[in-house]
Amino acid sequence: MPDASLDITRELCPMTWVRVKLALEALGDGQVLEVRLTGDEPLRNVPRNAADDGHELLSCETGGDGVTRLLVRARHGSGPA
Amino acid sequence: MSLTEAQIQRYSRQILLREVGGRGQSRLLSRPVRVDGRNAATDAATPYLVAGGAHVLGPAPDDGFLTGASLADFNPDAGVPGAPFACLVAAGAVPSLAVAVVVGGDGVVASGGGCADCLKAAADSLAVAVAPEDALVLGGLAALALQRLCLEVEPVAGLRRWRLGAGGIVEAPVGGCAAHRPPA
């Protein structure tokens, strides 16, 4: 069960990652964010950026409606971001 | 302070940066900046600080972007009442705040806090006059250094100095005041 959910199916780059980044910052270390997204760009960039920022990608599943459900565990190292 | 939707949209490209993010952008918005003195480099730095979200108080440069404006009119929603200022100082003016960046004709000194006399000694080592051709690079460096202090990605205490030479910008040693000068 995720701790928070975020729908970015209507967002465009770069706001897709901006929304996810802000949502992950708002979570405590170890909490899980569910992200619902569509399209190639966020599917390519959101998991990669999350991993680059040190977060943990738990699962990535695309449903029959074309909406991908991403589960990311927030990991907060040092620094402001 | 939490970001408003308008601030998220406006600063989205800064929020993307790993060293900024939402928390860092909030810090940039909540830390007002005062400009003490004026030279071509502080004029170059000021638009960067304004564009970064800081509430800036000081002389507005005649640069076509801020010309004729009062800096206080920019980012009126930034700044937290009572928040301590960070300070951008033109070499020759006496730095009065511990969190300060001083820019002169041959370099930049950044202080995240600590000994005020060390900061003054380092600032006194900077050339006062700024060559027009150096103003943009020195101003950009000064703005970046001040933003990094506000973001706390630089050490909170201590001094750093960068020198502009023929080969570009290099970090240079800082002497410190008489009480803190390292032994020869």
Side-chain angles (χ1 to χ4, degrees):
Chain A
M1 186 72 180
D3 297 287
S5 290
L6 179 68
D7 187 338
I8 57 168
T9 56
R10 293 176 180 273
E11 300 284 356
L12 297 173
C13 179
M15 294 307 294
T16 44
W17 173 237
V18 169
R19 300 287 184 200
V20 176
K21 186 177 175 78
L22 291 172
L24 286 166
E25 281 184 25
L27 291 179
D29 189 62
Q31 289 191 301
V32 175
L33 176 69
E34 177 195 50
V35 183
R36 292 168 53 82
L37 57 89
T38 55
D40 290 339
E41 180 277 321
L43 187 55
R44 221 175 28 247
N45 290 328
V46 170
R48 185 189 63 198
N49 290 335
D52 285 350
D53 271 10
H55 304 293
E56 187 181 343
L57 187 63
L58 299 178
S59 68
C60 180
E61 295 172 2
T62 301
D65 56 359
V67 175
T68 297
R69 181 173 176 266
L70 200 65
L71 289 178
V72 185
R73 189 183 301 281
R75 293 295 186 201
H76 301 304
S78 59
Chain B
M1 64 187 284
S2 57
L3 297 172
T4 65
E5 179 58 28
Q7 288 169 335
I8 291 171
Q9 297 280 346
R10 181 174 179 185
Y11 301 112
S12 59
R13 281 168 172 75
Q14 290 183 169
I15 293 169
L16 288 172
L17 299 174
R18 187 172 302 166
E19 289 181 324
V20 182
R23 291 175 196 168
Q25 187 60 51
S26 293
R27 286 180 183 168
L28 291 176
L29 286 163
S30 61
R31 191 78 189 258
V33 173
R34 198 179 76 202
V35 184
D36 283 349
R38 183 178 184 182
N39 59 29
T42 62
D43 277 6
T46 301
Y48 287 115
L49 296 169
V50 169
H55 184 69
V56 181
L57 298 178
D62 295 324
D63 65 347
F65 174 58
L66 300 173
T67 299
S70 165
L71 290 182
D73 293 338
F74 291 90
N75 306 324
D77 56 345
V80 175
F85 278 85
C87 205
L88 174 68
V89 185
V94 179
S96 57
L97 293 170
V99 177
V101 168
V102 188
V103 58
D106 56 351
V108 170
V109 167
S111 166
C115 175
D117 289 337
C118 284
L119 171 59
K120 185 176 182 312
D124 286 346
S125 72
L126 294 170
V128 173
V130 178
E133 64 270 24
D134 295 334
L136 195 59
V137 66
L138 287 167
L141 176 61
L144 182 62
L146 194 61
Q147 287 172 327
R148 289 174 68 83
L149 285 175
C150 293
L151 289 167
E152 298 179 16
V153 293
E154 291 291 342
V156 171
L159 289 171
R160 293 185 74 182
R161 190 192 197 290
W162 295 270
R163 197 182 67 240
L164 180 63
I169 292 171
V170 293
E171 186 153 10
V174 184
C177 69
H180 295 118
R181 194 168 296 141

